[in-house]
Amino acid sequence: MIGPSNMGDLQVRWVKKPELESAEHRQLIEATVSEIIAAVQERGDEGLRHHSKRLDHWNPPSFRVTRAQIDQAYESVGPDCVALIQLVRDQVVSFANAQLQGLQPVEIEPHPGITMGHRLVPLTSVGCYVPGGAYPLVAAVHMQVATAKVAGVGRILACAPPRDENGIWPATLVAMDVCGADEIYCMGGVQALAAYAFGTSEIKPVDMITGPGNAYVAEAKRLLFGHVGIDLLAGVTEILIIADETADPEIVAADLLAQAEHGPTSPAHLVTDSAVLADAVSEVVESQLKVLPTREIAEQAWRRRGAIALVRGPEEMAIYSDTAAPEHVAVLCRDTEWFHGRLKNYGSIFLGEGANVVYSDKAIGTNHTLPTGRAARYTGGLWVGKFIKVVTYQRLTSAGSNFIAPYARRVAEMEGMLAHAAACAMRERKYKDVTLDQRPGGVE
């Protein structure tokens, strides 16, 4: 999320400034992550176990969760919560299936004898990462595992850090099973992602890693990309609320704190053209914090990364938002549709007071694994298509080859790539007696 140092020419009056991450902290994260990845890559199980003991105080006989442990989690959660987990799964599956219907194979024949197209091929294997920490994150399971299942991924792994000596939160574990994970592991952090990427004697490597996480997890995905695929860089959650004088300060403050509750470094910004609203929200946030049960986390995030920015009118609010490129942008303004048409850079948009980031986070069905850290400038969030490769094919008759070969040969000769040209010329000679389709442009 942006701050005072990267607003460009936009003139902002900061009612509350955010604290920006230092370069030194960024370098420390990168060095720490690199060390853990190298340990797992070089030493496999030993490296995974070393950092699991050191960071999570977790040293089980096996990192893989057993069926008995899963069944015990069902008992712990109870039938009402299992039914709720199944309902959320059905919501996510329904939306993912609707998206899947929009993906179609393609085949065209632009000239006689030349057939081109693409196929939709699900990934062979995916490792889904579910953050741990203070909360049993159930919805983060659905967004990955259920969506990968709809896409047809052959082997779906899911993992989460241990909450204590008993392992994964029971509700998280039940969600992994309900959504159809093929293998479930209790492991967390950078070492878990490295195990996914390189494999160990216990874990076969995967083709892609998905899931959100803290700054260390996001950095691990960045460093592992290339050796293994990633969905996107999804770090600590962030929200930007665009609000005018019609917005309810109580609602604005509640929505800011709902995202600040995720963790002590979660950015929560308000941009408005109303000084009255800015001051009111500042006061209401303080009053809501006094009675918030999760105040210890949310207050840290608000003090460090919270911001209230005052600008001049809707156009400047839109500029602020597109520059920030936030994970979530909520529009609490008189004319929400103007912003819907104007804004371009966001992970997901929430239009009007009736919409709420929490609905998307927990139950509505749209995927909540979204780009953070301004990555929304160039990518959207996780969706069923991320688990499917669009692979092309070509099929040519001899007449079709005769049509295209001279063009390809001439381009290759123009570039000086003579082996390429020879491969074309060989086919021209072989098929020279085939009746040619008329070629435009006099190519010979």
Side-chain angles (χ1 to χ4, degrees):
M1 189 80 79
I2 60 173
S5 64
N6 49 9
M7 288 304 302
D9 296 329
L10 192 61
Q11 299 298 309
V12 177
R13 176 188 150 200
W14 294 99
V15 178
K16 182 188 180 306
K17 278 188 180 181
E19 175 186 306
L20 300 181
E21 183 182 60
S22 68
E24 292 78 10
H25 181 59
R26 178 76 243 163
Q27 291 163 3
L28 175 62
I29 291 173
E30 184 172 347
T32 302
V33 170
S34 297
E35 177 190 344
I36 298 172
I37 288 175
V40 178
Q41 182 178 15
E42 295 165 8
R43 308 203 309 271
D45 281 303
E46 182 191 346
L48 171 61
R49 194 166 290 279
H50 169 76
H51 288 289
S52 180
K53 287 190 293 185
R54 184 175 72 87
L55 298 171
D56 291 333
H57 310 292
W58 182 245
N59 187 26
S62 169
F63 286 99
R64 185 161 182 175
V65 176
T66 66
R67 185 69 242 176
Q69 290 170 315
I70 295 170
D71 292 340
Q72 186 178 358
Y74 274 87
E75 290 183 21
S76 175
V77 167
D80 289 345
C81 286
V82 171
L84 179 58
I85 289 169
Q86 291 169 333
L87 182 146
V88 176
R89 176 202 58 195
D90 294 343
Q91 287 287 110
V92 173
V93 165
S94 176
F95 190 73
N97 269 315
Q99 290 183 310
L100 186 61
Q101 300 311 306
L103 289 171
Q104 297 294 331
V106 167
E107 183 170 287
I108 64 170
E109 189 177 5
H111 298 284
I114 299 178
T115 302
M116 299 183 290
H118 74 230
R119 297 172 57 226
L120 307 178
V121 181
L123 299 183
T124 301
S125 59
V126 168
C128 304
Y129 182 79
V130 180
Y135 310 108
L137 295 181
V138 172
V141 178
H142 293 84
M143 304 303 167
Q144 302 176 69
V145 178
T147 308
K149 204 76 175 176
V150 171
V153 175
R155 173 175 163 254
I156 303 171
L157 285 65
C159 79
R163 76 197 188 283
D164 56 26
E165 66 277 3
N166 296 311
I168 297 173
W169 287 96
T172 302
L173 187 52
V174 169
M176 290 173 171
D177 188 61
V178 164
C179 291
D182 300 301
E183 302 169 30
I184 300 173
Y185 295 90
C186 183
M187 56 184 187
V190 175
Q191 62 272 19
L193 300 190
Y196 272 162
F198 302 116
T200 70
S201 62
E202 186 179 358
I203 304 164
K204 288 176 58 179
V206 298
D207 297 320
M208 186 169 81
I209 296 170
T210 67
N214 61 22
Y216 291 89
V217 167
E219 178 64 12
K221 289 171 71 176
R222 187 183 74 82
L223 293 178
L224 290 167
F225 177 62
H227 183 86
V228 68
I230 65 171
D231 50 353
L232 67 158
L233 295 176
V236 294
T237 195
E238 54 193 38
I239 184 173
L240 171 64
I241 297 178
I242 301 173
D244 60 18
E245 76 282 358
T246 66
D248 182 340
E250 296 280 348
I251 293 287
V252 174
D255 287 356
L256 288 169
L257 292 178
Q259 296 309 301
E261 180 181 59
H262 275 273
T265 60
S266 294
H269 286 208
L270 165 66
V271 62
T272 181
D273 59 355
S274 168
V276 172
L277 179 72
D279 291 340
V281 169
S282 183
E283 292 177 7
V284 173
V285 165
E286 298 302 327
S287 65
Q288 290 186 5
L289 274 172
K290 290 177 182 177
V291 296
L292 187 66
T294 54
R295 172 179 177 174
E296 184 178 353
I297 294 173
E299 186 171 24
Q300 286 185 68
W302 179 248
R303 301 284 177 242
R304 293 173 60 185
R305 307 301 299 276
I308 299 177
L310 189 61
V311 297
R312 297 171 300 180
E315 185 61 34
E316 288 196 355
M317 289 194 282
I319 292 171
Y320 184 106
S321 181
D322 273 346
T323 305
E327 177 188 17
H328 307 106
V329 58
V331 182
L332 300 175
C333 294
R334 181 181 293 104
D335 188 355
T336 59
E337 287 308 308
W338 182 87
F339 284 98
H340 194 196
R342 169 66 174 77
L343 298 178
K344 296 180 175 64
N345 299 338
Y346 53 83
S348 193
I349 192 168
F350 302 83
L351 300 166
E353 188 177 287
N356 186 342
V357 175
V358 178
Y359 297 163
S360 173
D361 274 352
K362 305 303 179 187
I364 204 168
T366 52
N367 206 294
H368 80 196
T369 304
L370 300 167
T372 64
R374 304 187 68 222
R377 291 171 298 146
Y378 54 81
T379 187
L382 185 62
W383 70 296
V384 71
K386 287 279 188 178
F387 297 104
I388 295 173
K389 297 179 292 185
V390 179
V391 295
T392 60
Y393 64 88
Q394 306 89 40
R395 186 186 304 113
L396 281 77
T397 64
S398 53
S401 179
N402 267 335
F403 176 85
I404 204 68
Y407 299 110
R409 171 176 51 79
R410 289 285 299 277
V411 172
E413 289 169 347
M414 188 188 310
E415 295 175 341
M417 303 186 76
L418 302 184
H420 282 62
C424 299
M426 189 176 295
R427 287 167 171 77
E428 289 184 83
R429 291 192 297 271
K430 183 169 184 177
Y431 302 141
K432 61 183 173 64
D433 294 330
V434 176
T435 301
L436 303 181
D437 301 296
Q438 185 174 3
R439 300 190 190 106
V443 176
E444 296 180 354

Coordinates of all heavy atoms in Angstrom, one line a residue, residues 97-145:
N97 N -17.1 -22.9 -10.6 CA -17.7 -23.6 -11.8 C -18.3 -22.6 -12.8 O -18.2 -22.8 -14.0 CB -18.9 -24.5 -11.3 CG -18.4 -25.9 -11.0 OD1 -17.7 -26.5 -11.7 ND2 -18.9 -26.4 -9.8
A98 N -18.9 -21.5 -12.3 CA -19.3 -20.4 -13.3 C -18.2 -19.8 -14.0 O -18.3 -19.6 -15.3 CB -20.1 -19.3 -12.5
Q99 N -17.0 -19.6 -13.4 CA -15.8 -19.1 -14.1 C -15.3 -20.1 -15.1 O -14.9 -19.8 -16.2 CB -14.7 -18.8 -13.1 CG -15.0 -17.5 -12.2 CD -13.9 -17.2 -11.3 OE1 -13.4 -18.1 -10.6 NE2 -13.4 -16.0 -11.3
L100 N -15.4 -21.4 -14.7 CA -14.9 -22.5 -15.5 C -15.7 -22.5 -16.8 O -15.1 -22.8 -17.9 CB -14.9 -23.8 -14.8 CG -14.3 -25.0 -15.5 CD1 -12.8 -24.8 -15.8 CD2 -14.6 -26.3 -14.7
Q101 N -17.0 -22.2 -16.8 CA -17.8 -22.2 -18.0 C -17.3 -21.2 -19.0 O -17.6 -21.3 -20.2 CB -19.3 -22.1 -17.6 CG -19.8 -23.1 -16.7 CD -19.5 -24.5 -17.2 OE1 -19.8 -24.9 -18.3 NE2 -18.9 -25.3 -16.3
G102 N -16.7 -20.1 -18.5 CA -16.2 -19.1 -19.4 C -14.9 -19.4 -20.1 O -14.5 -18.7 -21.0
L103 N -14.3 -20.5 -19.7 CA -13.1 -21.0 -20.3 C -13.4 -22.1 -21.3 O -14.1 -23.1 -20.9 CB -12.1 -21.6 -19.3 CG -11.4 -20.6 -18.3 CD1 -10.6 -21.4 -17.3 CD2 -10.4 -19.8 -19.1
Q104 N -13.1 -21.9 -22.5 CA -13.4 -22.9 -23.6 C -12.2 -23.2 -24.5 O -11.4 -22.4 -24.7 CB -14.6 -22.3 -24.5 CG -15.9 -22.0 -23.7 CD -16.5 -23.3 -23.2 OE1 -16.4 -24.4 -23.8 NE2 -17.3 -23.2 -22.1
P105 N -12.2 -24.5 -24.9 CA -11.2 -24.8 -25.9 C -11.4 -24.0 -27.2 O -12.6 -23.6 -27.5 CB -11.4 -26.3 -26.1 CG -12.1 -26.8 -25.0 CD -13.0 -25.7 -24.5
V106 N -10.4 -23.8 -28.0 CA -10.5 -23.0 -29.2 C -9.9 -23.8 -30.4 O -8.8 -24.5 -30.2 CB -9.8 -21.7 -29.1 CG1 -9.6 -21.0 -30.4 CG2 -10.6 -20.8 -28.1
E107 N -10.5 -23.8 -31.5 CA -9.9 -24.4 -32.7 C -10.4 -23.6 -33.9 O -11.6 -23.3 -34.1 CB -10.3 -25.8 -32.9 CG -9.6 -26.5 -34.1 CD -9.7 -28.0 -34.2 OE1 -9.1 -28.7 -33.3 OE2 -10.5 -28.5 -35.0
I108 N -9.4 -23.1 -34.8 CA -9.7 -22.4 -36.0 C -9.0 -22.9 -37.2 O -7.9 -23.6 -37.0 CB -9.4 -20.9 -35.8 CG1 -7.9 -20.6 -35.6 CG2 -10.2 -20.2 -34.7 CD1 -7.5 -19.2 -35.7
E109 N -9.4 -22.6 -38.4 CA -8.8 -23.0 -39.6 C -8.6 -21.8 -40.5 O -9.5 -21.5 -41.3 CB -9.5 -24.1 -40.3 CG -8.7 -24.7 -41.5 CD -9.4 -25.9 -42.2 OE1 -10.6 -26.2 -41.8 OE2 -8.8 -26.5 -43.1
P110 N -7.6 -21.0 -40.2 CA -7.5 -19.7 -40.9 C -7.3 -19.8 -42.4 O -7.6 -18.9 -43.2 CB -6.3 -19.0 -40.3 CG -5.5 -20.1 -39.7 CD -6.5 -21.2 -39.3
H111 N -6.6 -20.9 -42.8 CA -6.4 -21.2 -44.3 C -6.6 -22.7 -44.4 O -6.4 -23.5 -43.5 CB -5.0 -20.8 -44.7 CG -4.7 -19.4 -44.6 ND1 -5.2 -18.4 -45.5 CD2 -4.0 -18.7 -43.6 CE1 -4.8 -17.2 -45.1 NE2 -4.1 -17.4 -44.0
P112 N -7.0 -23.2 -45.6 CA -7.2 -24.6 -45.8 C -6.0 -25.4 -45.5 O -4.9 -25.0 -45.9 CB -7.6 -24.7 -47.3 CG -8.2 -23.4 -47.6 CD -7.4 -22.4 -46.8
G113 N -6.1 -26.4 -44.7 CA -5.0 -27.2 -44.3 C -4.2 -26.8 -43.1 O -3.2 -27.5 -42.7
I114 N -4.6 -25.7 -42.5 CA -3.9 -25.2 -41.3 C -4.9 -25.1 -40.2 O -5.9 -24.4 -40.2 CB -3.2 -23.8 -41.5 CG1 -2.2 -23.9 -42.6 CG2 -2.6 -23.3 -40.2 CD1 -1.5 -22.5 -42.9
T115 N -4.7 -25.9 -39.2 CA -5.6 -26.0 -38.0 C -4.8 -25.6 -36.8 O -3.7 -26.1 -36.5 CB -6.2 -27.4 -37.8 OG1 -6.9 -27.8 -39.0 CG2 -7.1 -27.4 -36.6
M116 N -5.4 -24.6 -36.0 CA -4.7 -24.2 -34.8 C -5.8 -24.1 -33.7 O -6.9 -24.0 -33.9 CB -4.1 -22.8 -34.9 CG -3.0 -22.7 -36.0 SD -2.3 -21.0 -36.1 CE -3.7 -20.1 -36.8
G117 N -5.3 -24.2 -32.4 CA -6.2 -24.2 -31.3 C -5.5 -24.2 -30.0 O -4.3 -24.2 -29.9
H118 N -6.3 -24.2 -29.0 CA -5.8 -24.4 -27.6 C -6.6 -25.3 -26.8 O -7.8 -25.4 -27.0 CB -5.5 -23.1 -26.9 CG -6.7 -22.4 -26.3 ND1 -6.9 -21.0 -26.6 CD2 -7.8 -22.8 -25.6 CE1 -8.1 -20.7 -25.9 NE2 -8.6 -21.7 -25.3
R119 N -6.0 -26.1 -25.9 CA -6.6 -27.0 -25.0 C -6.5 -26.4 -23.6 O -5.6 -25.7 -23.3 CB -6.0 -28.4 -25.1 CG -6.1 -29.1 -26.4 CD -5.3 -30.4 -26.4 NE -5.7 -31.2 -25.3 CZ -4.8 -31.8 -24.5 NH1 -3.5 -31.6 -24.7 NH2 -5.2 -32.6 -23.5
L120 N -7.4 -26.9 -22.7 CA -7.3 -26.5 -21.3 C -6.9 -27.7 -20.5 O -7.6 -28.7 -20.5 CB -8.7 -26.1 -20.9 CG -9.4 -25.0 -21.7 CD1 -10.8 -24.6 -21.2 CD2 -8.5 -23.7 -21.7
V121 N -5.7 -27.6 -19.9 CA -5.1 -28.8 -19.2 C -4.9 -28.4 -17.8 O -4.1 -27.5 -17.5 CB -3.7 -29.1 -19.9 CG1 -3.1 -30.3 -19.2 CG2 -3.9 -29.5 -21.4
P122 N -5.6 -29.1 -16.8 CA -5.4 -28.8 -15.4 C -3.9 -29.1 -15.0 O -3.3 -30.0 -15.6 CB -6.4 -29.7 -14.7 CG -7.3 -30.1 -15.8 CD -6.6 -30.1 -17.1
L123 N -3.5 -28.4 -14.0 CA -2.1 -28.7 -13.5 C -2.1 -30.1 -12.8 O -3.1 -30.6 -12.4 CB -1.8 -27.7 -12.4 CG -1.7 -26.2 -12.8 CD1 -1.2 -25.4 -11.6 CD2 -0.7 -26.1 -14.0
T124 N -0.9 -30.7 -12.8 CA -0.8 -32.1 -12.3 C -0.8 -32.0 -10.7 O -1.4 -32.9 -10.1 CB 0.6 -32.7 -12.8 OG1 0.5 -32.7 -14.2 CG2 0.7 -34.1 -12.2
S125 N -0.1 -31.0 -10.1 CA -0.1 -31.0 -8.7 C 0.0 -29.6 -8.2 O 0.7 -28.7 -8.8 CB 1.1 -31.8 -8.2 OG 2.3 -31.3 -8.7
V126 N -0.6 -29.3 -7.0 CA -0.6 -28.0 -6.4 C -0.4 -28.1 -4.9 O -1.0 -29.0 -4.3 CB -1.9 -27.2 -6.7 CG1 -2.0 -26.0 -5.8 CG2 -2.0 -26.8 -8.2
G127 N 0.4 -27.3 -4.3 CA 0.6 -27.2 -2.9 C -0.1 -26.0 -2.3 O 0.3 -24.8 -2.7
C128 N -1.1 -26.1 -1.5 CA -1.9 -25.0 -1.0 C -1.4 -24.7 0.4 O -1.3 -25.6 1.3 CB -3.4 -25.3 -1.0 SG -4.1 -25.8 -2.6
Y129 N -1.1 -23.4 0.6 CA -0.6 -23.0 1.9 C -1.7 -22.2 2.7 O -2.2 -21.2 2.1 CB 0.7 -22.1 1.8 CG 1.2 -21.7 3.1 CD1 2.0 -22.6 3.9 CD2 1.0 -20.4 3.6 CE1 2.5 -22.2 5.1 CE2 1.5 -20.1 4.9 CZ 2.3 -21.0 5.6 OH 2.8 -20.6 6.8
V130 N -2.0 -22.6 3.9 CA -3.0 -21.9 4.7 C -2.2 -21.3 5.9 O -1.6 -22.0 6.7 CB -4.0 -22.8 5.2 CG1 -5.1 -22.1 6.1 CG2 -4.7 -23.5 4.0
P131 N -2.2 -19.9 6.1 CA -1.5 -19.3 7.2 C -2.1 -19.8 8.5 O -3.2 -20.2 8.7 CB -1.8 -17.8 7.0 CG -2.2 -17.7 5.6 CD -2.9 -19.0 5.2
G132 N -1.2 -19.7 9.5 CA -1.6 -20.1 10.9 C -1.8 -18.9 11.7 O -2.7 -18.1 11.4
G133 N -1.1 -18.8 12.8 CA -1.2 -17.6 13.6 C -2.3 -17.7 14.6 O -2.6 -18.8 15.1
A134 N -3.0 -16.6 14.9 CA -3.9 -16.5 16.0 C -5.3 -17.1 15.7 O -6.1 -17.2 16.6 CB -4.1 -15.0 16.4
Y135 N -5.6 -17.3 14.4 CA -6.9 -17.7 14.0 C -6.9 -19.0 13.2 O -6.0 -19.3 12.4 CB -7.6 -16.6 13.1 CG -7.5 -15.2 13.7 CD1 -6.6 -14.3 13.1 CD2 -8.2 -14.8 14.8 CE1 -6.5 -13.0 13.7 CE2 -8.1 -13.5 15.3 CZ -7.3 -12.6 14.8 OH -7.2 -11.4 15.3
P136 N -8.0 -19.8 13.4 CA -8.2 -21.0 12.5 C -8.8 -20.5 11.2 O -10.0 -20.4 11.0 CB -9.2 -21.8 13.3 CG -10.0 -20.9 14.1 CD -9.1 -19.7 14.4
L137 N -7.9 -20.3 10.2 CA -8.4 -19.7 8.9 C -9.0 -20.8 8.0 O -8.4 -21.6 7.4 CB -7.2 -19.1 8.2 CG -6.6 -17.9 8.9 CD1 -5.5 -17.2 8.1 CD2 -7.7 -16.8 9.2
V138 N -10.4 -20.8 8.1 CA -11.1 -21.9 7.3 C -11.3 -21.4 5.9 O -11.1 -22.2 5.0 CB -12.5 -22.1 8.0 CG1 -13.4 -23.0 7.2 CG2 -12.3 -22.7 9.4
A139 N -11.7 -20.2 5.6 CA -12.0 -19.8 4.3 C -10.8 -19.8 3.4 O -10.9 -20.0 2.2 CB -12.6 -18.3 4.3
A140 N -9.6 -19.6 3.9 CA -8.4 -19.7 3.1 C -8.2 -21.0 2.5 O -7.5 -21.2 1.4 CB -7.2 -19.3 3.9
V141 N -8.7 -22.1 3.1 CA -8.7 -23.4 2.6 C -9.6 -23.5 1.4 O -9.2 -24.0 0.3 CB -9.1 -24.5 3.6 CG1 -9.1 -25.9 3.0 CG2 -8.2 -24.4 4.9
H142 N -10.8 -23.1 1.5 CA -11.8 -23.2 0.4 C -11.3 -22.5 -0.8 O -11.5 -23.0 -1.9 CB -13.1 -22.5 0.8 CG -13.9 -23.2 1.9 ND1 -13.6 -23.0 3.3 CD2 -14.9 -24.1 1.9 CE1 -14.4 -23.7 4.0 NE2 -15.2 -24.4 3.2
M143 N -10.7 -21.3 -0.7 CA -10.3 -20.5 -1.8 C -9.3 -21.2 -2.7 O -9.3 -21.1 -3.9 CB -9.7 -19.2 -1.4 CG -10.7 -18.3 -0.5 SD -12.3 -18.0 -1.3 CE -13.2 -17.4 0.1
Q144 N -8.5 -22.1 -2.1 CA -7.5 -22.8 -2.8 C -7.9 -24.2 -3.2 O -7.9 -24.6 -4.3 CB -6.2 -22.8 -2.0 CG -5.7 -21.4 -1.6 CD -4.5 -21.6 -0.7 OE1 -3.4 -22.0 -1.1 NE2 -4.6 -21.2 0.6
V145 N -8.2 -25.0 -2.2 CA -8.4 -26.4 -2.4 C -9.6 -26.7 -3.2 O -9.6 -27.4 -4.2 CB -8.4 -27.2 -1.0 CG1 -8.7 -28.7 -1.3 CG2 -7.1 -27.0 -0.3

